[in-house]
Amino acid sequence: MKFICKRSDLTHGIQTVLNAVSHRNTLPILSNILFELEDDLLRLTTTDLEVSIICQISVQVIASGSITIPAKRLAEIVRELPDSDVTVSVSDNFLVTLVCEKSLFKINGLPKDDYPVLPKTKNEKGFSISKKQLHEMIKKTIFAVSTDETRYVLNGVLFTVDDDVMRMVSTDGHRLALIEQKLEKIPPQKFNYIVPAKALQELSKILDDEGELNIQLNENQIIFSNSEVVLMSRLIDGQFPNYNQVIPKETDKHINCPVNDLLAATRRVALMASDKSNSVKYTMSNNKLVITANTPEVGEAQEEMDIAYTGENISVAFNAKYVQDVLKNIVSADCVLGLSTSLNPGVFTPKEEDKKYVCIVMPMRI
Amino acid sequence: MPKKRIYYTEFRRSLDSGSVKPVYFFTGAETFLKEEGIQTIIDKVLPPAERSMNFESLYAGTDVSGQEVKERAMTLPFIAKRRVILVRQAEKWRAGDLNVLDTYLKDPAPTTVLIISSQEERLKQTNWKNFANLTYHVECYPLFDNQVPAWVERRVGEHGKRIAREAVQLLIERVGQTLADIDNEINKLVNYIGQKPMIEAADIRAAAGHIRQNTMHELNLALGRADGSAAVRLVKHVLDEGIRPIQMLGAIAWHFRNLHSIRKRLDGGEDLDKIVGNIRNPQARREMQLQATTYSKQAFAKIFQELLKLDVHLKTGKTHWEMFLEMTILKICRQYTYK
């Protein structure tokens, strides 16, 4: 096996697949990158047996073949190489030689035979979505995914496609985020699957915002692909909770707030709440919002804001971190906080956005 | 909040009567009872449909600090009456975590059931004692010997079957008194007997495993109670477990030294309850109270002489040591006791 490529292309390929490298010691070969040469393409593959990433880059092939190379060491070497052509060759005893200008590295590889075989992608019908849209949907839901491994169905984002509407929902039992997006083309089949958060995090890292991404299902795997990169992930098997129950059908108090001002004020006031319960109290009265936090042994904070609200007075306490997470993901200038009572869920929605985005935050006991 | 500890049976009675407390604190060595208690609370409080959103199982130290538990406990449940938060390995919490939680425990959220489970006993430390006093503290100690048969019968009954009295004794003899082990064997036996309504001794012989552990401890208990026939039977099990005769002798001598020391203090006029008062496990405490009065002060001198003879016998490589060992045990149990 021998090929020549640009250092920048090799770096790009390695960086793309690096995040799926497993750090578990049980299968040492999973800490390697699989290199395979086919036609004029070098295919780099990594997997941790849950998420797999494949990236293809153009190279000049001198002799075809395959090899697996320790990922971390290779990434460090290639990062330090001069910006020039790199020649990679593999000897019969799996010794990999990298030559770049006057630098020469020899690194022990392992044969491809021991590397797990990834499921072949069938030509199942999928659908396409703009990378930018998908990127935004992931960003707006992933923060609410549960990290509690015992609640495995909540460790992912529910991905549903019904007619021309794609919906993503996540919850950790304390808050819930839901976003809907219209698709340009109606997909040939309905989707209703839970995609692990890790897969979506990795996808976010490798997504640029140009062009489209194809989404396919293959048995219990979901496959995101474009011409250069393929990301495969197992799906989470289980029943996602009935999230529609959680979203209040209607709220009778609607508070209009400027997002950035509310976020900044919450962040400031929360400084006095951090040692207690991270609970920040919001009191709404005639066109005025008072945000307070109180830690008896430390002190208290209070901030007033002008808002558009003329309903009856109401006080509600939220975990400041949850409110900040929500507000950071609202792009419009203003948001609406819908409330019924101080014990019912708070419903945050952007005031002007063309897509449906709802965040539910459960209040805390005052 | 109760200021005293309660035992498992009392906790079950309280729960069965419909009383659900806002904070439970499970301690004690009987893991099976702890897990059963925790599961019973969850089943009682949360219907399965509400669990994915309102049940959290966390590990103290690695997963969550006291602060995080407090934040989660103060959040109202998602479309349910109550939220259940289970925190295991609470012994990993530091004083700071306990202090944060103390403020919550003084005024817990009525919409949350917080279950805290600890593997280690740290209740001698003041902060843990204060912490426990603010919770509904359930102590899950191993059942007393006389409670295990009833527990077996109840457990078998939960499968819709009955078990013969002889079969209960045989099961305990083979499996030991660890409830998790007994429960596994009961599950196996229930499958084995199929449609038959009762588990007989023959079923135990045919299907139950011989997995009894800790027989050295039980041998010492049998010797302490001067129960010669049980002790001789247990000697065989101890040897089957791979314990060498000389190791066995060392463990027996250690046990008698402990009993001798209690006996001396007792004869010196100290109160027995006070002597054994620092043993926290009530079963172990009761056992020591019983054993300390089995042998007289003079008897201990003779017992140590017998053990010395056995030691010489074992170390000089004389044959028939098994018989000598059994005879020594029978002699100790039958000649030197008040019985």
Side-chain angles (χ1 to χ4, degrees):
Chain A
M1 178 187 180
K2 188 170 181 181
F3 65 88
I4 301 169
C5 67
K6 288 192 175 108
R7 190 211 73 124
S8 56
D9 289 348
L10 190 57
T11 307
H12 169 69
I14 292 169
Q15 289 305 325
T16 303
V17 298
L18 201 59
N19 287 322
V21 169
S22 169
H23 301 291
R24 280 182 289 193
N25 294 326
T26 43
L27 267 176
I29 199 155
L30 295 185
S31 44
N32 286 14
I33 300 175
L34 171 63
F35 281 70
E36 293 170 299
L37 281 175
E38 240 177 53
D39 301 331
D40 280 343
L41 289 174
L42 169 66
R43 193 163 63 222
L44 297 95
T45 306
T46 55
T47 181
D48 62 3
L49 300 179
E50 289 184 6
V51 177
S52 311
I53 305 177
I54 301 167
C55 178
Q56 297 190 124
I57 57 171
S58 295
V59 296
Q60 184 191 335
V61 179
I62 295 165
S64 61
S66 59
I67 187 73
T68 75
I69 309 173
K72 191 167 172 264
R73 183 80 64 194
L74 181 68
E76 285 166 355
I77 292 170
V78 174
R79 194 170 52 229
E80 298 303 329
L81 290 175
D83 203 4
S84 180
D85 283 354
V86 184
T87 304
V88 181
S89 58
V90 183
S91 64
D92 290 344
N93 59 353
F94 310 114
L95 187 67
V96 183
T97 308
L98 282 91
V99 180
C100 183
E101 291 185 354
K102 291 175 183 172
S103 304
L104 182 144
F105 289 88
K106 288 191 176 186
I107 179 168
N108 289 322
L110 287 169
K112 175 194 171 182
D113 309 354
D114 298 338
Y115 205 82
V117 180
L118 300 185
K120 292 268 181 225
T121 53
K122 294 176 194 165
N123 284 327
E124 295 281 344
K125 284 181 182 172
F127 66 95
S128 296
I129 182 169
S130 123
K131 286 182 192 173
K132 193 178 175 182
Q133 281 182 348
L134 183 62
H135 204 164
E136 187 190 355
M137 290 177 84
I138 294 172
K139 184 172 171 277
K140 289 189 167 186
T141 48
I142 206 153
F143 68 90
V145 170
S146 170
T147 51
D148 176 1
E149 285 178 11
T150 58
R151 297 193 293 173
Y152 64 97
V153 292
L154 304 186
N155 292 163
V157 176
L158 179 71
F159 222 90
T160 68
V161 178
D162 200 352
D163 291 334
D164 62 345
V165 176
M166 179 168 146
R167 186 178 298 118
M168 286 171 72
V169 189
S170 63
T171 178
D172 64 359
H174 295 258
R175 59 219 167 132
L176 179 144
L178 177 150
I179 186 163
E180 278 181 4
Q181 182 83 50
K182 275 211 166 219
L183 297 171
E184 284 177 9
K185 289 178 203 162
I186 298 178
Q189 63 187 70
K190 287 187 176 183
F191 271 56
N192 192 354
Y193 299 101
I194 308 168
V195 184
K198 190 195 170 195
L200 295 175
Q201 273 159 355
E202 298 312 330
L203 187 65
S204 277
K205 285 180 198 162
I206 57 179
L207 276 181
D208 50 37
D209 282 350
E210 284 170 19
E212 295 216 317
L213 193 74
N214 194 42
I215 302 175
Q216 281 176 287
L217 276 173
N218 184 12
E219 292 171 3
N220 62 344
Q221 300 252 327
I222 189 163
I223 300 157
F224 301 91
S225 61
N226 63 10
S227 57
E228 192 189 45
V229 182
V230 178
L231 185 144
M232 287 187 242
S233 167
R234 66 165 181 86
L235 293 164
I236 292 176
D237 190 15
Q239 185 70 42
F240 200 81
N242 182 2
Y243 61 87
N244 282 317
Q245 264 192 338
V246 177
I247 303 170
K249 297 284 173 286
E250 55 185 50
T251 47
D252 56 358
K253 299 172 187 68
H254 300 101
I255 301 111
N256 289 288
C257 314
V259 173
N260 288 338
D261 292 352
L262 182 59
L263 176 60
T266 301
R267 202 181 279 145
R268 279 191 291 271
V269 173
L271 293 172
M272 295 308 281
S274 57
D275 287 344
K276 197 182 170 230
S277 61
N278 215 17
S279 152
V280 169
K281 190 168 141 191
Y282 298 80
T283 305
M284 278 69 68
S285 53
N286 195 19
N287 289 330
K288 197 169 81 176
L289 165 66
V290 180
I291 310 172
T292 52
N294 176 14
T295 307
E297 60 273 25
V298 181
E300 59 185 58
Q302 178 177 317
E303 184 152 341
E304 278 186 27
M305 268 179 70
D306 291 331
I307 52 164
Y309 176 70
T310 50
E312 63 186 75
N313 294 3
I314 183 169
S315 287
V316 64
F318 291 115
N319 184 322
K321 185 183 174 296
Y322 296 165
V323 174
Q324 289 177 58
D325 284 344
V326 169
L327 295 175
K328 277 183 213 163
N329 283 292
I330 293 179
V331 251
S332 76
D334 293 300
C335 70
V336 180
L337 167 59
L339 288 168
S340 299
T341 70
S342 59
L343 299 179
N344 285 76
V347 185
F348 289 84
T349 46
K351 203 171 176 198
E352 317 99 15
E353 268 188 50
D354 55 353
K355 58 191 82 60
K356 184 181 173 188
Y357 182 44
V358 181
C359 288
I360 312 290
V361 180
M362 286 311 293
M364 298 178 85
R365 236 166 38 110
I366 296 177
Chain B
M1 283 288 152
K3 295 286 180 195
K4 68 176 183 71
R5 306 165 197 147
I6 60 151
Y7 296 121
Y8 183 77
T9 41
E10 202 180 324
F11 149 74
R12 282 301 296 260
R13 267 201 301 275
S14 153
L15 197 64
D16 290 345
S17 71
S19 163
V20 178
K21 313 291 178 192
V23 186
Y24 289 94
F25 181 38
F26 283 88
T27 58
E30 186 46 85
T31 312
F32 186 87
L33 291 182
K34 273 201 271 193
E35 292 305 317
E36 189 185 58
I38 290 167
Q39 195 55 48
T40 314
I41 297 171
I42 296 165
D43 291 343
K44 184 110 190 160
V45 174
L46 279 180
E50 293 175 0
R51 276 181 209 173
S52 55
M53 298 285 252
N54 293 294
F55 172 64
E56 292 173 81
S57 174
L58 309 160
Y59 285 85
T62 51
D63 264 14
V64 280
S65 61
Q67 171 70 28
E68 282 170 279
V69 168
K70 187 178 170 184
E71 281 172 26
R72 288 170 193 240
M74 283 177 70
T75 309
L76 293 159
F78 245 145
I79 316 300
K81 275 187 183 172
R82 278 182 282 217
R83 179 184 288 283
V84 177
I85 299 172
L86 166 63
V87 187
R88 296 179 197 274
Q89 298 180 354
E91 68 277 358
K92 290 190 177 167
W93 271 334
R94 289 159 188 265
D97 294 306
L98 300 184
N99 290 343
V100 170
L101 277 169
D102 273 0
T103 55
Y104 175 79
L105 299 181
K106 282 172 188 158
D107 182 22
T111 50
T112 297
V113 176
L114 176 60
I115 308 169
I116 299 164
S117 168
S118 173
Q119 284 177 336
E120 281 173 35
E121 294 274 348
R122 295 206 169 172
L123 299 174
K124 284 181 184 167
Q125 296 170 16
T126 315
N127 51 359
W128 278 100
K129 211 183 279 176
N130 294 340
F131 177 82
N133 282 341
L134 291 166
T135 65
Y136 194 74
H137 181 193
V138 184
E139 288 195 316
C140 300
Y141 284 118
L143 297 182
F144 297 136
D145 294 356
N146 60 355
Q147 290 175 314
V148 178
W151 184 88
V152 171
E153 283 170 11
R154 183 173 64 80
R155 201 75 188 162
V156 172
E158 284 169 12
H159 290 276
K161 306 281 184 191
R162 285 176 295 130
I163 183 165
R165 188 151 292 176
E166 189 194 351
V168 175
Q169 287 308 328
L170 191 58
L171 180 67
I172 295 168
E173 200 169 292
R174 283 184 161 226
V175 180
Q177 300 202 355
T178 308
L179 300 188
D181 291 342
I182 299 179
D183 193 56
N184 278 340
E185 293 305 312
I186 289 174
N187 289 333
K188 213 157 79 180
L189 285 161
V190 167
N191 284 329
Y192 175 76
I193 63 165
Q195 300 298 315
K196 249 176 60 175
M198 183 177 270
I199 299 171
E200 313 276 357
D203 300 320
I204 307 281
R205 287 190 198 98
H210 205 119
I211 55 168
R212 188 169 189 136
Q213 298 283 315
N214 292 324
T215 35
M216 189 62 240
H217 173 65
E218 283 158 15
L219 170 61
N220 275 339
L221 294 187
L223 284 166
R225 290 184 211 136
D227 184 349
S229 54
V232 168
R233 200 174 59 243
L234 284 162
V235 163
K236 191 176 174 308
H237 293 319
V238 173
L239 293 171
D240 286 347
E241 279 176 17
I243 294 175
R244 286 182 292 130
I246 204 76
Q247 288 176 303
M248 190 196 297
L249 176 61
I252 293 171
W254 174 83
H255 188 62
F256 275 109
R257 277 200 300 276
N258 283 341
L259 292 180
H260 181 222
S261 133
I262 296 173
R263 182 79 241 188
K264 271 203 299 191
R265 290 173 65 184
L266 205 57
D267 292 346
E270 275 190 65
D271 181 48
L272 179 59
D273 286 340
K274 198 179 162 192
I275 297 171
V276 297
N278 60 351
I279 303 174
R280 274 191 37 77
N281 183 330
Q283 188 180 0
R285 192 166 57 235
R286 201 177 70 147
E287 194 63 54
M288 286 312 266
Q289 280 170 329
L290 180 78
Q291 293 188 24
T293 51
T294 306
Y295 298 95
S296 66
K297 193 178 165 188
Q298 292 75 19
F300 278 106
K302 290 175 186 164
I303 288 169
F304 289 128
Q305 275 177 7
E306 293 297 338
L307 293 178
L308 179 65
K309 276 190 219 164
L310 178 60
D311 187 39
V312 172
H313 195 94
L314 290 172
K315 285 176 179 166
T316 49
K318 288 181 183 170
T319 52
H320 306 304
W321 60 266
E322 293 97 331
M323 202 168 77
F324 196 87
L325 177 65
E326 284 184 11
M327 282 172 63
T328 307
I329 284 171
L330 287 173
K331 212 169 175 182
I332 290 172
C333 293
R334 296 193 176 153
Q335 290 186 13
Y336 304 131
T337 59
Y338 290 133
K339 291 175 183 174

